[in-house]
Amino acid sequence: ALVRRTQREEEMKQDDKDWMLTSKLHKVHPLAFTPDDVDLDDIATSLSKQCRYNGHLNGFYSVAEHSDIMRRALKRDGYPLIIQKLGLLHDASETWTGDIIRPLKNALRSQGFDIKPYELRIEEAMSTHFGLPWPWPDLIHEYDKRIVRDEKDQLKPDETDDWSSFDIPKVGLGIKIEGWEWREARDRWLEAFQDLELALSTERYVEDIEVPF
């Protein structure tokens, strides 16, 4: 179950100051997030417009494409539909937090403010909303690390540092990055989600059928 809101979080809701307005005009308090704040179109729109690596690339490569590549790699490797869905949604918390770069996260943590609990709260709320397992299996974090090797080799091939200090595996997922324009990224991400939902509902339906003997 989701942790109960703290008194401070209740005060934030009442003060009505610490909120953001999403693409679907939803008023969301990211630091007091609940499953009711999750909106599929908000996720697709935001992730398709956010560029990986804070935009420091020669072209555009969205978080949405990154997430769909994760899904496809998990599908290729034979993982269940629910794990593929988790791969597609693994960075969806960035809809409300943004893709905060690693040095800034580390600096904030060293100063006593760790954003990780807020990210975990959003991820747990999303898991409740979308019927995903919680906590997430280590496999998702493993694939998310491995894909960085593919991204480094394809998007920053002239970078001399091998990123070993970032604990990045030497072997990636073996995927190809295409660099979808944001509208294509949004549409393809949504299509992948809808296909997974249909496949999962069919899977549940088949499981519920009683086979007569």
Side-chain angles (χ1 to χ4, degrees):
L2 286 168
V3 286
R4 294 172 60 87
R5 285 201 195 111
T6 65
Q7 181 179 351
R8 171 59 185 146
E9 289 167 345
E10 292 290 355
E11 290 171 355
M12 287 186 341
K13 288 275 189 182
Q14 293 168 9
D15 289 345
D16 210 29
K17 294 177 181 176
D18 298 318
W19 56 270
M20 62 178 287
L21 196 63
T22 71
S23 62
K24 293 292 294 293
L25 304 182
H26 294 142
K27 197 178 199 179
V28 174
H29 295 73
L31 303 185
F33 199 85
T34 73
D36 292 337
D37 292 319
V38 179
D39 182 273
L40 187 67
D41 287 330
D42 277 339
I43 296 172
T45 300
S46 178
L47 298 191
S48 64
K49 292 181 176 180
Q50 291 191 57
C51 188
R52 290 275 287 168
Y53 302 100
N54 223 25
H56 294 284
L57 302 170
N58 291 330
F60 182 73
Y61 170 54
S62 68
V63 177
E65 182 177 353
H66 160 88
S67 301
D68 190 58
I69 288 173
M70 279 267 293
R71 171 196 67 83
R72 283 181 276 144
L74 289 163
K75 179 180 180 180
R76 176 201 65 195
D77 295 344
Y79 288 99
L81 292 170
I82 195 67
I83 298 300
Q84 296 173 37
K85 183 178 177 182
L86 190 47
L88 189 66
L89 287 160
H90 79 280
D91 271 342
S93 64
E94 294 175 11
T95 302
W96 304 279
T97 67
D99 187 3
I100 303 173
I101 60 174
R102 186 190 304 254
L104 182 56
K105 277 188 180 181
N106 292 340
L108 289 170
R109 189 179 298 115
S110 71
Q111 295 300 312
F113 181 79
D114 189 358
I115 196 172
K116 190 62 178 177
Y118 297 100
E119 290 178 328
L120 289 174
R121 183 194 182 95
I122 293 174
E123 290 171 358
E124 186 179 1
M126 288 194 316
S127 297
T128 298
H129 181 91
F130 288 118
L132 298 169
W134 182 260
W136 293 353
D138 291 340
L139 172 74
I140 297 299
H141 306 297
E142 174 197 333
Y143 269 58
D144 202 22
K145 280 188 175 182
R146 287 178 59 195
I147 197 174
V148 173
R149 175 57 57 194
D150 298 285
E151 292 169 349
K152 191 270 178 191
D153 291 345
Q154 294 179 52
L155 301 174
K156 295 178 178 284
D158 298 326
E159 169 63 61
T160 55
D161 192 307
D162 68 356
W163 293 11
S164 57
S165 60
F166 295 149
D167 191 27
I168 303 304
K170 294 191 179 298
V171 178
L173 295 178
I175 50 82
K176 184 178 186 306
I177 297 166
E178 298 178 39
W180 301 336
E181 183 264 345
W182 79 264
R183 293 174 187 82
E184 180 182 4
R186 178 195 60 197
D187 293 346
R188 292 179 71 159
W189 190 95
L190 279 171
E191 182 181 7
F193 181 90
Q194 290 158 0
D195 287 347
L196 277 171
E197 286 292 88
L198 178 60
L200 281 164
S201 64
T202 302
E203 184 177 75
R204 287 190 291 266
Y205 175 75
V206 171
E207 288 175 352
D208 289 342
I209 292 177
E210 293 184 6
V211 180
F213 291 97

